[in-house]
Amino acid sequence: MELKAFLEYVKTGEALASDEIHQFMDEMSDEARRITFELNSAYHTPDEVRALLSRLFGYEVPKTFRVFPPFYTDFGKNIHVEEGVFINACCHFQDHGGVTIGEGSQIGHNVVFATLNHGIAPSDRYHTYPKPIRLGRNVWVGSNATILSGVTIGDNAIVAAGAVVTKDVPANTIVGGVPAKVIRSIDN
């Protein structure tokens, strides 16, 4: 399987169930681990970090993109970042389904993005189902938050530290808790 075909397939949301898909995912996971081990094993300048992440993501990341390693992903090729994004240390991206982070967004320590979910029926638990995560512009995700598959977070929203986001977050709101609920609106 080729990367382009895989990325088109995950847009369908269908199960990642075939032997061909599993083999491809294993190969891509190996590549992602090689690059993240290199990234996380020693100090790198911001330019070196961006170069490693460009290899990992498969495109040249913006010069205004900043990451404090360590950074973890099991795929890497379905992460899209816009200008001015900052990702703090120890974040985990399960990005098979796609993670898009809008301009000026800030991601706190230890945030998890999980774009895969297992089937609910015991007979279907071996299969995983991809759904993208999308963050709008100027989103702030607090430390130790978890964003689950299929969630869209609107512009200027804040996700409180430790929140588990299971549903879409409206623009200009603050959400928190497990599961995350709207706490209040943000006045501009």
Side-chain angles (χ1 to χ4, degrees):
M1 173 166 267
E2 298 291 324
L3 178 60
K4 185 176 180 180
F6 178 82
L7 294 175
E8 285 302 313
Y9 182 81
V10 297
K11 289 178 184 176
T12 69
E14 297 294 320
L16 302 176
S18 74
D19 289 341
E20 179 184 25
I21 287 173
H22 286 172
Q23 180 180 349
F24 178 77
M25 289 171 65
D26 286 345
E27 291 167 4
M28 295 305 293
S29 181
D30 285 345
E31 179 182 331
R33 281 196 310 276
R34 279 192 299 276
I35 296 169
T36 57
F37 287 176
E38 183 178 348
L39 173 68
N40 298 332
S41 66
Y43 171 79
H44 298 283
T45 67
D47 287 340
E48 292 168 336
V49 169
R50 279 189 294 278
L52 286 162
L53 291 171
S54 293
R55 276 180 42 211
L56 180 62
F57 296 177
Y59 65 92
E60 188 170 338
V61 300
K63 291 189 184 328
T64 57
F65 178 44
R66 191 81 191 262
V67 173
F68 287 177
F71 176 87
Y72 304 98
T73 182
D74 57 358
F75 185 63
K77 299 295 190 240
N78 209 357
I79 300 171
H80 307 279
V81 296
E82 295 182 13
E83 295 286 339
V85 168
F86 172 72
I87 299 173
N88 218 324
C90 299
C91 290
H92 296 255
F93 282 64
Q94 181 195 57
D95 64 289
H96 293 85
V99 176
T100 300
I101 303 176
E103 182 180 343
S105 291
Q106 300 179 56
I107 312 302
H109 290 91
N110 245 11
V111 172
V112 173
F113 292 88
T115 66
L116 296 179
N117 202 357
H118 290 271
I120 293 171
S123 61
D124 194 32
R125 291 224 183 109
Y126 179 73
H127 297 121
T128 54
Y129 294 84
K131 288 187 183 173
I133 295 171
R134 294 180 183 92
L135 276 62
R137 300 178 69 200
N138 300 312
V139 171
W140 173 19
V141 180
S143 296
N144 295 302
T146 299
I147 316 298
L148 297 182
S149 64
V151 167
T152 296
I153 300 175
D155 293 348
N156 306 312
I158 297 172
V159 175
V164 177
V165 184
T166 62
K167 296 180 181 169
D168 290 353
V169 174
N172 301 305
T173 60
I174 300 172
V175 299
V178 179
K181 296 186 182 343
V182 173
I183 296 170
R184 69 179 182 91
S185 294
I186 299 171
D187 298 326
N188 285 331

